[in-house]
């Protein structure tokens, strides 16, 4: 059988499809750059609005919003069409950015972050849907490679945007810029995706698991609240209540027709459970540096917001480089990289705890890169094993569950990081020497979770690989999941 001739980009993106694809890249960009911009400007936000104890909420609320939006995206696409759904969520993202830009207090700033999560999470999912519905399947690989490049660009541009505005003394400007970009996507999406909208909505899960989402939200917020009460008598019961709510969420989710996770994924031993536990645990272990890295680098080492942002962005760059390096690994070699990736993340976590307080900074940098590189080495293979272990009718759901597990891990990790950070006096303005002495606790507290991730990786690596192709390029974001 003769192979079809290779088509040029001019042919693939011809007949006006270039504008549509630029729109998709714009939606991906908004979600990809958001976390690095916010991480870079948070020290300035705290200096202006106060409320340092609430810093983890800026990330936990965004991840919660993204999980909720991911669950709602299918229903919105089905009822409104891809174009109007994407436009509506882009408008919600823009509104959240505007709310954060105008916020006179930390409370309103955090409300804006929740709206950004609701909008950004849906933008990610719906942008991928727009590609699969607008282009022929033989073009998807190349188009998704370009989307991955946008994540790499966001890793470089995010800290630049946040750092320039922060160092200029106008952190609000970064949110105004993203509000304008979100508005442009919102206005263009219904028009450019009009033909896509007529083809119907997202295939697969279209219900919204409101029970699971409600319990998940309450559980994460209860744990996060324990980090700001500054009272052990109140804090411990809040953590316990949060854990019970999350356990109830898993129980309720197993009975829902439209569930956040595939039915029985965490209840039954096997690759699905091992893979999801690995992702949740390692995501929890790595979110702390995104939240507190720029702030602690400024407090302990006096570096600028721009420099701090780029140090944090090393995770994203390392993720992408590592993912590309293992893109052609065959199934027989996947187990090695699953184990190696988890161990590299554990090593990075310990190294950050050792070198962040007193430096030298050059010794810190390789360990920051380890946190991203570990995910890059393993993430594509986690997805492959979780998906191939699922029944045929649940494979799409299983693939999405890995991203949901990652966002859940980031949300939980952010909540727990607040407890660790505030226990060492970060919120109460501890002196520099006292803060340096306490900083290792913020990261070493997550070593048990990283070890759980390593154990999950060992079990997952022992499972049959399945399939016949390499893992491909996956991942590429600090606090983000790439295409």
């Amino acid at each position: 059988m003769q192979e079809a001739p290779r088509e040029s980009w001019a042919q693939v993106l011809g007949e006006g499809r270039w504008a549509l694809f630029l729109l998709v890249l714009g939606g991906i960009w908004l979600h990809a750059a958001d976390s690095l911009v916010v991480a870079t400007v948070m020290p300035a936000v705290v200096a202006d609005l106060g409320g340092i104890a609430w810093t983890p909420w800026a990330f936990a609320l965004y991840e919660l919003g993204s999980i909720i939006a991911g669950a709602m995206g299918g229903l919105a696409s089905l009822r409104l069409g891809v174009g109007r759904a994407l436009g509506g969520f882009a408008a919600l993202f823009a509104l959240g950015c505007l709310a954060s830009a105008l916020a006179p207090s930390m409370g309103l700033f955090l409300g804006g972050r929740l709206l950004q999560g609701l909008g950004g999470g849906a933008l990610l999912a719906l942008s991928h849907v727009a590609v699969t519905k607008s282009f022929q399947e033989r073009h998807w690989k190349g188009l998704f490679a370009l989307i991955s490049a946008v994540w790499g660009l966001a890793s470089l541009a995010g800290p630049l945007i946040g750092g320039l505005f922060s160092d200029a003394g106008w952190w609000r400007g970064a949110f105004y810029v993203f509000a304008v970009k979100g508005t442009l996507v919102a206005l263009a999406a219904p028009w450019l995706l009009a033909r896509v909208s007529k083809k119907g909505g997202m295939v697969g899960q279209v219900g919204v698991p409101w029970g699971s989402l409600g319990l998940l939200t309450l559980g994460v917020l209860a744990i996060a609240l324990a980090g700001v009460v500054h009272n052990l008598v109140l804090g411990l019961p809040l953590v316990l209540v949060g854990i019970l709510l999350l356990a109830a969420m898993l129980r309720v989710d197993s009975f829902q027709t439209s569930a956040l996770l595939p039915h029985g994924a965490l209840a039954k031993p096997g690759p699905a459970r091992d893979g999801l536990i690995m992702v949740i645990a390692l995501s929890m272990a790595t979110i702390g540096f995104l939240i507190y890295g720029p702030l602690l680098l400024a407090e302990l080492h006096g570096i600028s917001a721009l420099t701090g942002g780029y140090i944090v962005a090393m995770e994203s760059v390392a993720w992408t480089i590592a993912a590309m390096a293992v893109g052609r690994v065959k199934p027989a070699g996947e187990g090695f990289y699953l184990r190696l990736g988890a161990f590299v993340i554990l090593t990075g976590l310990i190294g950050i705890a050792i070198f962040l307080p007193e430096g030298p900074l050059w010794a810190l940098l390789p360990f920051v890169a380890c946190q991203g590189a570990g995910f890059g080495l393993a993430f594509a293979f986690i997805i492959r094993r979780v998906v191939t272990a699922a029944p045929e009718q649940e494979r799409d759901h299983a693939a999405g569950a890995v991203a949901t597990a990652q966002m859940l891990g980031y949300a939980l990790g952010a909540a727990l990081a607040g407890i660790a950070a505030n226990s060492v006096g970060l919120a109460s303005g501890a002196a520099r020497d006292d803060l340096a002495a306490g900083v290792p606790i913020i990261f070493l507290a997550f070593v048990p979770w990283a070890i759980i991730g390593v154990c999950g990786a060992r079990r997952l690596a022992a499972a049959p690989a399945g399939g016949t192709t390499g893992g491909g390029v996956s991942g590429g974001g600090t606090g983000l999941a790439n295409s």
Side-chain angles (χ1 to χ4, degrees), residues 29 63 78 131 133 145 170 192 203 292 314 335 381 441 450 453 473:
W29 160 267
E63 299 299 339
L78 183 66
V131 169
K133 288 187 173 295
W170 191 44
L192 290 176
V203 177
Y292 290 112
M314 287 185 64
F381 306 134
I441 296 175
V473 177

Side-chain angles (χ1 to χ4, degrees), residues 34 70 87 104 177 201 216 253 292 301 303 317 326 364 372 403 429 480:
D34 183 273
V177 167
L216 170 64
D253 196 58
Y292 290 112
H301 300 283
I303 68 172
V317 175
V326 298
L364 171 68
L480 308 168

Side-chain angles (χ1 to χ4, degrees), residues 215 239-249:
L215 291 168
V239 172
L240 179 60
V241 168
I243 293 172
L244 292 175
L245 286 168
L246 292 173
M249 180 274 291

Side-chain angles (χ1 to χ4, degrees), residues 53-54 225-235 418 422-423 425-428:
W54 296 88
L225 190 59
V228 296
V229 296
H230 302 296
N231 186 323
L232 193 63
V233 175
L234 292 176
N422 295 328
S423 71
L426 184 61
S428 57

